[in-house]
Amino acid sequence: MSPRPAEPRGVRASAGRIAAMVLRHWYLLTSSWPRVLELVYWPTVQVTLWGFITLYLAETGGGPLRQAAALFLSAVLLWDTFFRSQLGVSLAFMEEMWARNLGHLFTSPLRPFELVLSLFAMSLVRTLIGVGGAAVLAVPIHGFDVTAVLGPALVLLFAGNLLFGWALGLVVAALVLRLGLGAEGLAWALVFLIQPVAAVFYPLEVLPGVLQAIGRALPPAHVFEGMRALVLEGRLAVDELAAAFALDLLWLAVAGVVFARLVESARRRGLFLQVGE
Amino acid sequence: MLKPASSTPAEPAIWARGLGKAYDGRFAVRGLDFEVPRGRIVGLLGTNGAGKTTTIAMVLGLLVPSEGEVRVFGHPMPRERYRVLHRMNFSSPYVDLPARLTVRQNLTVYARLYGLRNPAERIRTLARELDLEALLDRPTGRLSAGQKTRLALAKALVNEPELLVLDEPTASLDPDTADRLRRHLAAWARRSGAAVFMASHNMPEVERLCHQVLVMHGGRIVARGTPTELVRRFGAADLEGVFLTIARGRVREPAAG
């Protein structure tokens, strides 16, 4: 027999396992061109539709509507960042359930936090392909360049929504593990429950008091308020961005705890050998 | 039957005492005491629902025991699972490998998860030994049942485990493929000195491969011994006779001797 292998610990071993999982999802993504096309398809449809609506508003309206294209198209791209990053995490996890692969993964040396980090990494890749593709296409279609409109702050606004997408995606993944694949619709439903209070297309002050309070507890509302301050006033709203990132960290911590607890619950209930289509 | 490997260090590969699992207050398995020594192949027999998969899941750390304890290489599962998971591996009909990935891609991913330094070389060796060379670039979803089983075994051997846990390793295979797989498994176990813990419904397979057999019924181990001992004690023609006697209600093992 070969000599007893050392316990694979440390940052390097962890990075190797995370890379293995990223490779697994990269193989999956590149195994089928419709999967890549689907990533870009919906963001592009959204940008195209909103581009024409804002063109109409800018031509017929006055006041802030002159900025309609910048406001709405930036909002569409940032909203899709949140949506895609959430789906990137939850769908990548559900891929393992559809493939009945969780039993293999959870008997390998892969730690749950490494699995989570690999899901985040793939979510970033999928979001960059999807939203980045739509942003590039918006230039020839509408003459709209989001990097010119939002400038370097785009990175912060993008990250603010990306992180909350990861948190929500992790909660969805945990719930689907606990409740079964019958609950996979949550991956789409929960995002749209948040949209009305996330102040995507209108300021928070439009909402009734209770909904404003709910909105303020969610990072996207602060990201979109920051985006409006930038587009309408040319001001970097540091307070809004700071609130968004503080809330992102809080929600990521909550999501991490929920995920860890539901994975342990699955271990108590013997779900790893039962999940599948 | 195989000859046991020579070295038997202090800690057994698997050690279980009073092991039990209850779901909603009802025990699926209870009071399991057994060991799987290093270098031995131990079979787990039982009817459907006898508790074999539940037992295997607790050994693998996929399931938390409700009572008792199971240790792998001396480490309690699942609490200290990361001390030993890199030294073990498993295959089961209840789990699959991603269907869209090719055979090579699946093996590469798992080779990297187990921290292999040279995955390509290990994959070449496994492909040659398990007759997968022509299939390496085929999507896993397009493999036949026999080819998938060979791939599952290749995945289970990718890290050269010291403990291999198999659930129904030859289920759904034609006799020829099953026979070739058993030969490979036997040769590998002999060569590597690894412990193998396998659940099976296939009596000739167990009789041929296993040094020791545990027979489960109603969530408990009701008989144990070498295949030859069990056949003699039950006065049966073969292991299938032992199995049928137990499955049909004469549960308790006759007194030894």
Side-chain angles (χ1 to χ4, degrees), chain A residues 214-249:
Chain A
I214 295 170
R216 283 188 200 287
L218 304 172
H222 299 279
V223 167
F224 289 110
E225 288 293 354
M227 178 204 76
R228 272 185 291 275
L230 198 61
V231 173
L232 294 176
E233 304 163 32
R235 175 174 63 87
L236 183 66
V238 176
D239 54 337
E240 295 289 3
L241 287 173
F245 283 111
L247 287 167
D248 277 332
L249 292 180

Side-chain angles (χ1 to χ4, degrees), chain B residues 82-98:
Chain B
Y82 295 118
R83 308 289 299 273
V84 290
L85 282 175
H86 63 290
R87 297 168 63 188
M88 54 197 289
N89 210 320
F90 101 117
S91 143
S92 160
Y94 299 106
V95 292
D96 283 328
L97 290 165

Side-chain angles (χ1 to χ4, degrees), chain A residues 117-203:
Chain A
L117 291 179
S118 73
L119 297 177
F120 289 174
M122 270 322 286
S123 162
L124 176 62
V125 170
R126 291 169 65 107
T127 306
L128 285 174
I129 293 173
V131 181
V136 169
L137 287 172
V139 177
I141 295 174
H142 297 300
F144 174 77
D145 181 356
V146 71
T147 59
V149 171
L150 298 179
L154 171 63
V155 176
L156 296 174
L157 298 168
F158 176 87
N161 272 358
L162 182 84
L163 295 178
F164 187 56
W166 288 353
L168 190 67
L170 203 53
V171 170
V172 169
L175 287 173
V176 174
L177 175 64
R178 175 67 184 79
L179 302 172
L181 281 168
E184 64 186 273
L186 286 174
W188 287 267
L190 273 183
V191 168
F192 289 105
L193 192 66
I194 285 171
Q195 193 175 28
V197 293
V200 184
F201 299 113
Y202 41 78

Side-chain angles (χ1 to χ4, degrees), chain A residues 1-9 16-21 23-24 27-28 30-32 35 96 99-112 264 266-275, chain B residues 7 11 21-23 38 53 57 60-64 78 81-83 85-101 105-106 108-110 112-114 155 160 162 191-194:
Chain A
M1 196 191 300
S2 52
R4 176 187 287 198
E7 190 186 339
R9 301 173 73 171
R17 290 188 290 267
I18 292 167
M21 288 307 295
L23 185 66
R24 176 257 187 276
Y27 284 150
L28 182 69
T30 53
S31 71
S32 152
R35 279 177 187 265
E96 306 299 0
R100 300 201 314 159
N101 191 34
L102 283 181
H104 282 311
L105 293 179
F106 280 91
T107 52
S108 81
L110 181 74
R111 274 66 163 169
E264 281 316 301
R267 207 180 289 281
R268 279 195 306 277
R269 292 165 180 268
L271 298 181
F272 292 123
L273 292 180
Q274 293 173 14
V275 293
Chain B
S7 70
E11 302 147 353
K21 179 66 189 178
Y23 296 101
R38 297 176 190 224
T53 299
L60 292 166
L62 286 177
L63 190 59
V64 182
R81 60 189 176 278
Y82 295 118
R83 308 289 299 273
L85 282 175
H86 63 290
R87 297 168 63 188
M88 54 197 289
N89 210 320
F90 101 117
S91 143
S92 160
Y94 299 106
V95 292
D96 283 328
L97 290 165
R100 283 185 176 275
L101 270 58
Q105 288 171 340
N106 266 316
T108 300
V109 169
Y110 276 95
R112 289 181 181 278
L113 280 176
Y114 281 91
K155 176 260 160 189
E160 300 186 73
E162 294 168 69
R191 196 171 63 239
S192 67

Side-chain angles (χ1 to χ4, degrees), chain B residues 56-222:
Chain B
I56 279 178
M58 287 190 283
V59 168
L60 292 166
L62 286 177
L63 190 59
V64 182
S66 304
E67 62 180 27
E69 188 177 11
V70 59
R71 295 181 186 181
V72 173
F73 298 121
H75 295 282
M77 301 292 276
R79 199 172 66 245
E80 294 184 8
R81 60 189 176 278
Y82 295 118
R83 308 289 299 273
V84 290
L85 282 175
H86 63 290
R87 297 168 63 188
M88 54 197 289
N89 210 320
F90 101 117
S91 143
S92 160
Y94 299 106
V95 292
D96 283 328
L97 290 165
R100 283 185 176 275
L101 270 58
T102 65
V103 170
R104 189 193 307 276
Q105 288 171 340
N106 266 316
L107 291 176
T108 300
V109 169
Y110 276 95
R112 289 181 181 278
L113 280 176
Y114 281 91
L116 265 66
R117 293 228 170 88
N118 192 343
E121 189 183 321
R122 180 69 185 140
I123 291 166
R124 268 197 301 277
T125 305
L126 285 168
R128 191 173 57 246
E129 290 177 357
L130 288 162
D131 199 17
L132 289 167
E133 283 168 306
L135 306 172
L136 279 174
D137 294 313
R138 187 176 295 182
T140 300
R142 291 197 202 146
L143 301 180
S144 70
Q147 291 165 341
K148 277 184 186 166
T149 306
R150 281 181 355 241
L151 170 59
L153 189 59
K155 176 260 160 189
L157 296 176
V158 77
N159 59 327
E160 300 186 73
E162 294 168 69
L163 169 62
L164 180 60
V165 180
L166 301 171
D167 195 356
E168 304 288 350
T170 57
S172 78
L173 295 185
D174 65 72
D176 177 50
T177 311
D179 182 62
R180 282 198 289 161
L181 210 68
R182 276 180 218 122
R183 281 174 193 276
H184 180 83
L185 196 59
W188 173 81
R190 199 163 31 232
R191 196 171 63 239
S192 67
V196 180
F197 185 46
M198 57 180 275
S200 179
H201 279 130
N202 189 311
M203 301 306 133
E205 174 173 282
V206 172
E207 219 157 352
R208 182 170 142 191
L209 286 176
C210 297
H211 303 112
Q212 291 281 325
V213 177
L214 309 170
V215 187
M216 291 188 75
H217 187 71
R220 291 179 182 272
I221 294 173
V222 294

